[in-house]
């Protein structure tokens, strides 16, 4: 059999694509050029050199830039780098693309990797990569590495930063860049044609797109409960008795507000799944799309849960700090002095002791379960469990966490809901407002476990439709875990 490497795979064209196809067999034969000497260029050069690539950096002032790059990288003029390189990274700002026009003959037929990002999100093109392609029509432009930071290039790929999004109209050039990505330790993701470059360039400019709604909900709930608690604990004593309770605002009011927000946010994690289940039961089919607001809500449940965990963790920290306050010490001393003055040496109240013991125990269990949910939502942890294990933790244990948090709040309230003195200005205590949504979710969940509803819901999710009168019998194997079947929408 003749040696495939002994014959030319592609003819040279105007300084052309000399080694791109050959590089599919011999990556070390590629000469990588970098146009630009900024932070990204230096990090890219270090990473390429560490992978054993031959690197030529093109600079307008080579003598001034040579000390910024590793010794293994050659620093030359832009024209020399363009002539030597087989694949070129264009690491200059888009507004400076016009300064590279004189390199057009040297770059003709070569792959140009555009790593630039825009200054703002663009709804319409052309993208930076498309502008570069218009300036260099005889070159093959590949969009990529713009979502990879200079720090990631220097430190090497890690768990959350391994993917490199690539797109190009030239499949051969894109394949060569993909191979180079793998050699650098990254995972290339083919995003199709160069028309996808606008979407890729917009990705680094989004500011927590999936977190906007959960964060707004968290802040809105915090402001509402903080003001509500301030009216109960600060404003009411001042108006009715002239007592100054402003010292409660920085610690006590915040500490009561955080668990309120945490429990409501946790209920908001599981409420859309319950709504979706009842909606499917009402429609009698799973093939009708959910409303847009419910779709949006379902895809944000992870963020709602993490916001709930943050509030619960802050509540735990604030609670541990309560005895450190001077106000708490003064109150403790005053109570002790009043008991001694009244001649009552024994201040033990059995009901209050049990209430506090149960309150703390249930709260710790709720925080522990919520911590498990938060840790399991991390991609590095979620990848180590199978789908059934992940569903068991996020659904079964998640509802256990919601139940424990609700029980924690009920024990906190104890018998206060029946005391008229707790209704300041006629407003119910805060814990009563907090319990409305979690109890609604838990009771709705229990309703879905009723045999008539659970059986019909499992039928619908396996293809049964009310309008088409499709009938079949579920096997007993489908009943192994009702929690999982009901939770997966």
């Amino acid at each position: 059999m003749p040696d495939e490497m002994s014959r030319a795979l592609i003819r040279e064209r105007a300084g052309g694509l000399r080694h791109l196809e050959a590089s599919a067999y011999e990556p070390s034969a590629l000469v990588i050029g970098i146009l630009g000497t900024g932070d990204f260029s230096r990090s890219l050069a270090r990473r390429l050199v560490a992978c054993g690539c031959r690197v030529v950096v093109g600079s307008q002032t080579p003598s001034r830039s040579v000390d910024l790059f590793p010794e293994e990288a050659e620093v030359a003029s832009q024209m020399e780098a363009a002539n030597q390189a087989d694949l070129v990274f264009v690491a200059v700002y888009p507004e400076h693309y016009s300064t590279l026009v004189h390199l057009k003959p040297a770059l003709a037929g070569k792959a140009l990797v555009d790593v630039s990002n825009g200054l703002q999100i663009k709804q319409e093109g052309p993208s930076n990569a498309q502008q570069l392609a218009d300036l260099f029509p005889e070159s093959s432009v590949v969009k990529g590495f713009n979502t990879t930071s200079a720090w990631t290039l220097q430190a090497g790929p890690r768990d959350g930063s391994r993917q490199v999004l690539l797109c190009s109209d030239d499949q051969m050039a894109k394949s060569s860049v993909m191979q180079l990505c793998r050699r650098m330790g990254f995972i290339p993701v083919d995003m199709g044609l160069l028309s996808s470059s606008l979407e890729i360039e917009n990705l680094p400019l989004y500011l927590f797109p999936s977190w906007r709604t959960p964060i707004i909900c968290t802040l809105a709930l915090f402001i509402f409960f903080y003001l509500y608690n301030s009216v109960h604990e600060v404003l009411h004593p001042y108006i009715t008795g002239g007592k100054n309770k402003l010292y409660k605002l920085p610690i006590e009011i915040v500490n009561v507000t955080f668990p309120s927000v945490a429990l409501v946010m946790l209920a908001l994690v599981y409420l859309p799944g319950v709504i979706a289940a009842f909606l499917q039961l009402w429609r009698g089919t799973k093939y009708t799309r959910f409303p847009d607001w419910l779709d949006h809500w379902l895809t944000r449940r992870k963020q709602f849960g993490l916001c709930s965990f943050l509030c619960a963790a802050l509540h735990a920290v604030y609670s541990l700090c309560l005895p450190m306050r001077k106000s708490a010490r003064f109150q403790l001393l005053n109570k002790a002095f009043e008991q001694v003055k009244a001649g009552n040496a024994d201040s033990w109240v059995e009901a209050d002791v049990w209430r506090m013991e149960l309150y703390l125990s249930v709260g710790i269990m709720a925080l522990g379960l919520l911590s498990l949910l938060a840790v399991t939502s991390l991609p590095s942890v979620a990848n180590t469990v199978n789908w059934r294990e992940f569903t068991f933790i996020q659904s079964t244990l998640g509802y256990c966490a919601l139940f424990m948090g609700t029980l924690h709040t009920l024990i906190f309230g104890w018998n206060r809901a029946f005391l008229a003195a707790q209704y300041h200005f006629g407003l119910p205590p805060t814990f009563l407002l907090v319990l409305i949504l979690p109890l609604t979710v838990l009771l709705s969940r229990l309703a879905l476990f009723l045999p008539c509803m659970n059986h019909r819901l499992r039928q619908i999710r396996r293809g049964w439709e009310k309008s088409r009168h499709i009938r079949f019998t579920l096997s007993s194997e489908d009943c192994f875990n009702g929690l999982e079947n009901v939770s997966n929408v």
Side-chain angles (χ1 to χ4, degrees), residues 213-426:
T213 301
I215 289 176
I216 291 175
C217 286
T218 303
L219 292 176
L221 287 171
F222 182 88
I223 293 172
F224 170 77
F225 283 117
Y226 186 83
L227 294 176
Y228 194 88
N229 289 322
S230 299
V231 170
H232 263 270
E233 304 297 330
V234 178
L235 185 61
H236 181 267
Y238 179 76
I239 292 178
T240 57
K243 298 179 181 179
N244 185 357
K245 301 281 188 176
L246 289 175
Y247 69 89
K248 290 186 174 183
L249 292 176
I251 300 293
E252 283 194 39
I253 301 300
V254 174
N255 188 44
V256 177
T257 301
F258 272 131
S260 304
V261 178
L263 187 56
V264 173
M265 290 294 291
L266 186 59
L268 290 175
V269 173
Y270 296 99
L271 180 59
V274 172
I275 294 175
F278 279 107
L279 196 59
Q280 288 180 334
L281 286 170
W282 179 62
R283 291 174 172 175
T285 179
K286 70 172 183 177
Y287 297 108
T288 304
R289 280 183 55 86
F290 294 133
D292 290 340
W293 60 269
L294 185 56
D295 263 338
H296 180 81
W297 194 353
L298 288 168
T299 58
R300 301 294 187 273
R301 287 181 292 179
K302 173 182 175 180
Q303 288 76 14
F304 275 93
L306 291 176
C307 288
S308 172
F309 171 69
L310 173 63
C311 293
L314 290 174
H315 168 56
V317 174
Y318 269 87
S319 298
L320 291 174
C321 295
L322 289 178
M324 300 170 58
R325 301 171 302 140
K326 283 188 175 295
S327 58
R329 298 176 188 175
F330 287 140
Q331 289 176 349
L332 185 62
L333 290 174
N334 289 338
K335 287 183 179 179
F337 179 75
E338 290 175 359
Q339 289 176 353
V340 172
K341 186 177 180 179
N344 184 13
D346 187 8
S347 60
W348 184 276
V349 179
E350 190 75 17
D352 289 345
V353 171
W354 273 103
R355 169 175 166 267
M356 184 56 64
E357 297 295 318
L358 292 173
Y359 170 73
L360 290 176
S361 177
V362 174
I364 292 171
M365 293 178 65
L367 181 60
L369 289 172
L370 199 55
S371 302
L372 179 61
L373 297 178
V375 171
T376 312
S377 67
L378 298 174
S380 57
V381 178
N383 291 336
T384 63
V385 297
N386 60 34
W387 174 244
R388 186 178 180 186
E389 293 167 344
F390 181 80
T391 306
F392 173 78
I393 294 173
Q394 294 295 326
S395 179
T396 308
L397 297 186
Y399 273 97
C400 290
L402 181 61
F403 173 75
M404 287 296 177
T406 304
L407 185 60
H408 180 67
T409 307
L410 285 170
I411 296 175
F412 171 80
W414 205 249
N415 61 345
R416 296 178 186 176
F418 308 103
L419 301 178
Q422 295 294 321
Y423 291 78
H424 301 162
F425 298 125

Side-chain angles (χ1 to χ4, degrees), residues 469-481:
H469 303 289
I470 299 176
R471 301 184 182 279
F472 59 89
T473 303
L474 289 174
S475 64
S476 58
E477 295 178 355
D478 295 323
C479 305
F480 65 91
N481 193 334

